[in-house]
Amino acid sequence: MTILLNNDGHWHARWRAAIETHMPGRAVVEFPDITNRASIDYALIWKHPPGDLEKYPNLKAVFSLGSGVDYLDAFPTLPEAPIFRLIDTNMAEDMALYTLYWTIHFQRLFGTYQTQQKQAKWARYPTPLAPDFKVSILGLGAIGSHIAKALARNGFDVSGWARSPKDITGVKCVYGKDALETILPKADVLICCLPFTKATYMSLDLAVLSKMKKGGAFINISRGAVVNEADLLTLLDSGHIGGAALDVFHAEPLPENSPFWSHPDVHVTPHMSGATNPDTAVQIISKEITDFENGIMPPYPYMREATCSREVKA
Ligand code: GLV
């Protein structure tokens, strides 16, 4: 029983330690130091080189070490073995706290107070109570629905949009293309949790984002490729979008010359809103492997039909 490990070459010692703790008895081989391909039965990977997974004759299943699987969409071929996404509620909760932090930042005008402090200016402004502050969430998958519930629990007026009907306690859920038009103009804060697929690529463009309420804020925690960044900048420059907290970008790391770095209304974070935690992730994967060996399918299979036919930059 040998696990192939490749977290895009990062933090392998932490992953190895977690595997040794939570999957005792399994050997770990770190990509690319493989001597016996036939010994590998499970692969734990993130952004693995395309074409490599097909070279393990006894591979039973692949576990992706993150929730977004758009990097797999760019693989020209995939192995026969099933591939599963990682949905870790600890990661979803981290992302919920990230969006709560920025939602409160925009609701309570903390950006204004930061600027005022630099000027030794003492002035305060009325702000809406949480139930009067409207948050709209685009995408109600495992992460988006977790975020929606967390914001609703904290008293915000939360709406959510998805492609298909959803039912989430405390959240006004709408679906379909026309419904998007109804929640954009209401949103004091719009949070993007959309997966990056062929359908969502650059879908948040001038036409869509200009339907937002004037002065509303935008938070993106999914993928930069879902947004037309030039259009977002146009709307930030004109003040139509009053502020943005951006954790993801078309090109990562964000290039030094990106206008987002120095934009006065933009907060840039380096794709850290919900980092995978090796300890909790391996505990989940360990249980899923045990279930899989007993004929029980892990809950989040990767669906090839959601594929993108565009070049992957992230
Ligand atoms: C990170 O971006 C992930 O998709 O898990």
Side-chain angles (χ1 to χ4, degrees):
M1 294 263 194
T2 301
I3 304 273
L4 172 69
L5 168 66
N6 181 18
N7 183 43
D8 195 23
H10 301 297
W11 300 332
H12 280 188
R14 287 180 65 201
W15 282 99
R16 174 184 279 281
I19 295 168
E20 284 167 0
T21 304
H22 300 296
M23 298 186 193
R26 297 201 188 256
V28 182
V29 170
E30 290 174 37
F31 185 82
D33 303 324
I34 303 139
T35 47
N36 179 7
R37 286 181 172 270
S39 68
I40 306 288
D41 46 11
Y42 293 100
L44 274 53
I45 55 121
W46 180 250
K47 297 190 178 170
H48 199 70
D52 181 74
L53 291 171
E54 290 86 321
K55 297 181 186 155
Y56 303 89
N58 297 315
L59 188 64
K60 293 186 194 147
V62 177
F63 292 84
S64 179
L65 300 178
S67 59
V69 277
D70 43 284
Y71 68 98
L72 291 167
D73 293 340
F75 284 22
T77 56
L78 289 173
E80 293 278 304
I83 303 179
F84 300 103
R85 296 169 63 200
L86 174 70
I87 296 295
D88 181 347
T89 47
N90 296 283
M91 192 203 287
E93 187 58 17
D94 260 2
M95 296 175 101
L97 292 176
Y98 178 98
T99 59
L100 177 63
Y101 175 94
W102 288 113
T103 298
I104 296 172
H105 173 96
F106 295 119
Q107 175 215 3
R108 301 294 301 274
L109 306 178
F110 284 125
T112 304
Y113 294 120
Q114 273 163 2
T115 308
Q116 285 192 180
Q117 182 172 350
K118 293 195 187 101
Q119 304 154 352
K121 180 174 166 185
W122 184 277
R124 59 187 172 205
Y125 310 95
T127 49
L129 294 173
D132 297 324
F133 197 73
K134 297 186 169 43
V135 182
S136 292
I137 297 176
L138 301 184
L140 295 172
I143 304 283
S145 56
H146 192 95
I147 288 174
K149 281 185 235 167
L151 288 164
R153 244 192 345 261
N154 280 279
F156 290 97
D157 177 345
V158 184
S159 300
W161 177 85
R163 274 188 312 170
S164 53
K166 303 277 172 184
D167 185 11
I168 303 170
T169 309
V171 179
K172 288 167 225 154
C173 298
V174 296
Y175 71 100
K177 199 164 183 296
D178 295 344
L180 191 56
E181 314 237 329
T182 65
I183 65 166
L184 288 172
K186 287 193 219 146
D188 293 302
V189 169
L190 182 70
I191 303 177
C192 174
C193 300
L194 293 169
F196 171 19
T197 66
K198 195 171 184 174
T200 64
Y201 179 55
M202 299 267 252
S203 61
L204 300 187
D205 57 10
L206 198 65
V208 173
L209 293 175
S210 60
K211 296 205 173 80
M212 278 175 68
K213 177 179 186 170
K214 187 160 169 23
F218 178 66
I219 300 173
N220 192 4
I221 49 122
S222 70
R223 289 290 184 266
V226 171
V227 178
N228 182 320
E229 291 184 337
D231 289 355
L232 175 61
L233 273 165
T234 301
L235 290 164
L236 282 160
D237 287 342
S238 72
H240 188 96
I241 293 184
L246 306 175
D247 190 46
V248 287
F249 301 88
H250 276 250
E252 295 181 8
L254 185 63
E256 265 179 42
N257 63 356
S258 166
F260 286 127
W261 283 118
S262 56
H263 198 290
D265 299 322
V266 174
H267 303 274
V268 170
T269 53
H271 202 143
M272 47 59 78
S273 66
T276 305
N277 177 295
D279 201 55
T280 55
V282 169
Q283 288 181 60
I284 292 167
I285 294 169
S286 170
K287 176 171 183 315
E288 289 184 354
I289 289 181
T290 305
D291 284 350
F292 181 75
E293 292 188 338
N294 289 315
I296 301 165
M297 278 294 133
Y300 299 102
Y302 166 65
M303 308 285 207
R304 181 70 166 175
E305 54 272 19
T307 56
C308 287
S309 57
R310 70 341 174 220
E311 54 310 329
V312 173
K313 302 219 177 72

